[in-house]
Amino acid sequence: MVTIRRIQFLAFFLVSISLTHGRLSPCFADDLAKPPAPEMRTLDSHFPFAVPVSLEQWKARAQVVRLQTKVALAIHPDVELSSSPPTIHDRKAMDGYSVEKVYFESLPGLFVTGSLYRPSEETGAKHPAVIYAHGHWTNGRFYEASDNEVRTLLATGAERFEPAAINMFQAACVQLARMGCVVFQFDMLGYADCQQISFERSHLFDFQTPQPPVTDDGWPLYSARAEGYGQSVMALQTVNTIRAIDVISALDDVDPTKLAITGASGGGTQSFIAAAIDSRLAGAFPAVMVSTAMQGGCTCENACGLRVGTGNVEIAATIAPRPLGMTAANDWTRDMPQDGFPELKAIFGLYGKPKNVELNASLHFPHNYNHVSRTALYGWVNRLFNLGLAEPILERSFDRLGPDEMTVWDASHPKPAGGIDFERNLLADWATLLKQRIRSDATESLRQGWTVIASPANEIAKTITLASSPSDNQQLVATVEGGKTVAAMTRTDSKTPADDIAIRIIQTDQTFSVTRLDDLFDATENGQFAVNAKRPFAGYTYGYNAPQLVRQLGVMLAMFDHLATNETSTFTLASNAENAFLVLATALLRPDKVKTIEIDAKPNQIEGWFDQHQSITAPEFVPHALRYGDLAGLMQVVRQAGIDVNFNPGDIVD
């Protein structure tokens, strides 16, 4: 199986990762290396970070980025996770530490699994705690390097002891426990003991097997309905991370004010994302991940809306002023010393704490979390928790435990059911929890959610050029860079019939009809353009680009703002059912300029509008729209802002 998986590596990834890295499990499809359409951003684009000039500006921006991150990962609104106590069993006393097996529930029926390391010395004092996310190394917590890899790691100075060369994860957990920390290393979905959603589903999703259908019992990951609720592998892993923080912080021997998280590669992604959104973490140490280059290649590192208008460096910056430690290697992080880290240093400088961020760059090593990088981690933890240990802190050898000794499942603790039926039921139950939470706080949650969904249109509007048509000075033409026309708006009579009228913008004594409203990008024969069509995961496209309706909303806003320059001007917006989102979202973003919405349809014609389009390439597809109540939820927000929404079948727009 390992051989088959290795074949699926990207060529560029194989070049950059050598034997001194170890066996990374493949999370990238070959076609990701092919250049997409030039207009679309991808995970391999450049994501520079511009530092605001003042702390006040940064705090406001950081709040926006955190909210966007939470919306993208379906943890907005906050859902009450399982409160059942963890099962901790089979304690093994080791040299200076102990190891126990742990599992607990996060969402209904979904279990988090892992190993719990504790200092041997029982003083009665509470300990700091470190949560460890393993990243994309084969079998994760059960990782075992080959004999040849072990020899290479020892020969190059990447490792000092054979047990650590075989399993670097145990090495880190053992050393941190010997330093006086409680450590929880947990499994990503599809790794080690966490097999309810398989490795293939979680990390290798493609057309190797047919995508399971939506049924009466629920729906699978990667479906349009799942993305409509924001349900992704990355979201599930974030939920598991938050639940791990809940469980570890509640242990009797843990000081809940002294929590940190670390991990490398995909585990680094989990680390800085968790610290960005969860203030209970006192600091984070993401290794070989944060950069302005490749943002994360696996399906478990991408989610719709996550990096639209932002990137990993800016997301990591929201951790400030809490301490942030990082490493860089000869991989996509190689440019961090001059592109990314100086900007992070500037952000921490705004808080007067430039020393709270550090980068340990060992660019002669490939992608890794080797002993050199871990030594940087130990010093960082020592200073974070004031452990008072002399630095540098060097590991000593340990008795390595094998997979059979570490698995949490046995006859007394049976492995829970999994598979595609479990996946469908899990997502349906999760959606129920999300809808219940929305109903309990409808006003604010709906407003925030829809604002995050629609707000990329504000930046798109700034890229639109408006000019009068040379053939008709009553017509305003909108173009994008390169001269492509994307919209036309004409001054007309409010009752002028026109088969192609999409929207009317009506002021007291004048009416403007939008007769063209195209996408900024060239459409494909299948609908919306999608990055990486061989691997049809919405996050690869909409994690970096706004969906088509939001791009069209940007054009709409550019034209509307052109008309609404008078501070006292207010307008009525009218549309048919097909364009109801555009007029409602315009009112959401410009509430002081819109007094009435007129929709030429019956209310039932827009019920479940987004849920009717079960394809991630459908022109009507908008991620997260279902979580926020579909069009009815957007309409509720608009009405809460004091804007009338009326249905007038056949009266305004043909």
Side-chain angles (χ1 to χ4, degrees), residues 165-305:
I166 296 173
N167 189 317
M168 58 188 161
F169 305 124
Q170 280 192 58
C173 295
V174 167
Q175 179 59 41
L176 289 168
R178 285 172 168 171
M179 290 168 57
C181 298
V182 172
V183 186
F184 178 60
Q185 188 194 1
F186 67 112
D187 300 322
M188 292 201 297
L189 295 175
Y191 280 83
D193 285 321
C194 189
Q195 296 293 330
Q196 291 177 279
I197 300 175
S198 71
F199 177 88
E200 287 73 18
R201 290 286 298 161
S202 299
H203 307 277
L204 293 182
F205 172 69
D206 55 19
F207 278 150
Q208 292 176 347
T209 57
Q211 168 70 337
V214 173
T215 69
D216 292 340
D217 295 326
W219 50 90
L221 289 162
Y222 310 107
S223 64
R225 182 169 292 172
E227 298 296 347
Y229 284 105
Q231 296 170 326
S232 64
V233 176
M234 188 178 187
L236 282 173
Q237 290 193 161
T238 303
V239 166
N240 284 355
T241 305
I242 292 171
R243 179 70 178 126
I245 297 170
D246 293 343
V247 169
I248 301 309
S249 63
L251 293 176
D252 291 340
D253 56 344
V254 167
D255 182 344
T257 68
K258 294 182 177 181
L259 304 176
I261 190 168
T262 190
S265 193
T269 299
Q270 287 179 266
S271 298
F272 77 80
I273 290 291
I277 61 180
D278 198 323
S279 60
R280 291 177 296 176
L281 292 168
F285 195 97
V288 287
M289 190 63 238
V290 177
S291 81
T292 60
M294 199 277 293
Q295 300 292 285
C298 186
T299 48
C300 79
E301 296 175 276
N302 288 273
C304 289

Side-chain angles (χ1 to χ4, degrees), residues 47-60:
F47 294 82
F49 173 38
V51 179
V53 297
S54 70
L55 181 59
E56 291 71 24
Q57 288 180 347
W58 167 243
K59 285 182 175 179

Side-chain angles (χ1 to χ4, degrees), residues 60-100:
R61 174 59 184 165
Q63 187 174 359
V64 170
V65 173
R66 287 192 198 98
L67 178 60
Q68 178 177 332
T69 304
K70 289 182 176 182
V71 169
L73 297 176
I75 54 174
H76 176 276
D78 296 329
V79 173
E80 185 173 344
L81 302 179
S82 173
S83 59
S84 58
T87 298
I88 304 175
H89 66 100
D90 196 16
R91 182 179 184 274
K92 290 181 172 63
M94 310 296 283
D95 179 14
Y97 63 98
S98 66
V99 186
E100 293 166 285

Side-chain angles (χ1 to χ4, degrees), residues 68 134 248 271 278 282 312 314 355 380 459 484 507 512:
Q68 178 177 332
H134 58 71
I248 301 309
S271 298
D278 198 323
N312 285 352
E314 185 175 41
K355 293 184 179 180
W380 181 84
E459 293 304 312
K484 177 186 174 183
Q507 205 172 17
F512 297 87

